[in-house]
Each structure stands twice: as C-alpha cells, then as structure tokens.
Amino acid sequence: MTPSNPDPVSVTKATLYCPDCGHESRINGDWLLEVRPDSVDYECPECGTTIDSRRDPEDLPAGRSKPLFVSADD
C-alpha cells in the first residue's frame, strides 16, 4: 500500500512565520528588514515582532544602518 498525501502543502524551506500573529511569507517576501552593523533583523509587517536575526557577516550589506524595506516585487 502506498501512503497518500491528500492535499500537499506548497510551503518551502524559505517560508518564515510570525509566532505572535501567524503571518507567513517567503524569506524575500514582505518582511521588514532592519539592517544593523552586526545583524539583519526580520520583522513582521503585521505586528512588528522580530522573527529572525541573521548574523552572518557575508549576508550584511556594507554601510547600511537604516531600516531597509523589501517587497515581494524586489
């Protein structure tokens, strides 16, 4: 007998979820990014919760200190 998946979910590994309000979007979706000298924080556009903080220096744009807003069209 073959196991069946009646309605497969099309969620990818690159989807982020807000634990406070349940908002979900791809990592390059509508999250608000705050770029700091040592990290990039992903904030929920619905409730403002910081859902992730990336600290890999190679991921940080040089010279950014103001919030950077990213849309799904970028």
Side-chain angles (χ1 to χ4, degrees):
M1 185 183 257
T2 305
S4 64
N5 293 330
D7 192 14
V9 179
S10 62
V11 176
T12 65
K13 289 173 79 174
T15 300
L16 299 178
Y17 302 89
C18 177
D20 289 350
C21 73
H23 179 76
E24 62 183 68
S25 184
R26 292 186 49 82
I27 195 165
N28 63 347
D30 61 353
W31 303 104
L32 304 178
L33 301 182
E34 185 163 344
V35 180
R36 302 172 187 268
D38 64 343
S39 67
V40 175
D41 294 341
Y42 287 75
E43 296 177 357
C44 178
E46 306 236 349
C47 70
T49 299
T50 299
I51 59 144
D52 193 24
S53 184
R54 304 284 168 122
R55 301 196 185 280
D56 186 347
E58 291 184 8
D59 292 341
L60 301 177
R64 292 266 187 180
S65 61
K66 296 182 181 177
L68 173 68
F69 299 96
V70 177
S71 72
D73 298 328
D74 289 343

